[in-house]
Amino acid sequence: MIDLKYALRMIRSHRWFSLAVIVTIALGIGVNTTVFTLVNAVLFKPLDLPGGDRLLSIRNHNLTEEHSRFGMSYPEFTAYKRDNQTFESLEAIASASIVMSEPGNPPERVNEARVSDGFLGMVKAQPVLGRNFDHDDHLPGATAVAIIGYDLWQTRYGGDASIIASQVTIDGESNTIIGVMPKGFKFPRNQAMWRPLEKNEESLDFSNRPLDLYGIRKRGVSKKMATRDLELIAQRLAEDHSDTNESIRPVPMTFHEEGNGGNIRVVFLTMLVQRGGK
């Protein structure tokens, strides 16, 4: 109690110096809090999607090439989806930049994702307007359809609800707009449009690898267990298709590892260590 009274007297007698000390301490706490919050959001916080804490991104790696990372073929995706024991959902996308146009609107380039049958269902994504894809939309010869993002709906179409069932030309092909996704939904990589993933003769080639895989692990399944599960499938593919898959293995990563790996991860971890050591 005596020490507290003494401290208060010192603060009153050295008001400006005490104020400077208090402000400095407050700024230090604020900076530390900001750094910890930023690093947590970028590197550690689970993705804000149902099952986001169990979501893995899966790409290929060539054992003979250090740090190689590339996409999957449709047959590889089919094998992993069919034979795995550790994922409750495993789906694929092919990302692209496309040009959309229609009468009355100038051409516009946007990011799109061609998605497999259960992709939007895997992340429990439902349109706020119109409908989701159904199984028939993915069949060969089906009518070309597209779901657009909320921001695109607002900026290009002024939020007009009559956009559903209208036609838009995408890279020279007529598509029917069937839905609008919720505000803020741009999964997985800032997409503004989603269309069904096509399965054709070209896609059956093991060496044609345009796909990224995303899967949600079953509850209680670790990343290590899921990796081993996929590696066993990859070994069988290597034996059956040695010309294209002999040295190919899957690389499962968390969503943060995929988007914030390498130098970016080093920078953020360095920030965390430096602030924590002060």
Side-chain angles (χ1 to χ4, degrees), residues 7-8 65 97 110 140 146 186 203 228 238 257 272:
L8 291 174
E65 300 175 13
S97 175
V110 301
K186 299 179 181 182
S203 69
R228 181 56 181 161
E257 287 172 338
L272 184 63

Side-chain angles (χ1 to χ4, degrees), residues 232-244:
L232 290 174
I233 301 170
Q235 289 170 10
R236 294 198 294 270
L237 290 175
E239 294 170 1
D240 296 339
H241 305 276
S242 58
D243 56 331
T244 57

Side-chain angles (χ1 to χ4, degrees), residues 27-63:
L27 286 174
I29 293 172
V31 170
N32 279 333
T33 300
T34 300
V35 169
F36 286 128
T37 300
L38 180 61
V39 172
N40 178 62
V42 172
L43 297 185
F44 304 118
K45 188 177 180 180
L47 196 64
D48 188 20
L49 290 170
D53 57 329
R54 294 176 283 129
L55 181 73
L56 290 180
S57 165
I58 307 156
R59 305 195 76 196
N60 268 331
H61 164 64
N62 192 321
L63 298 176

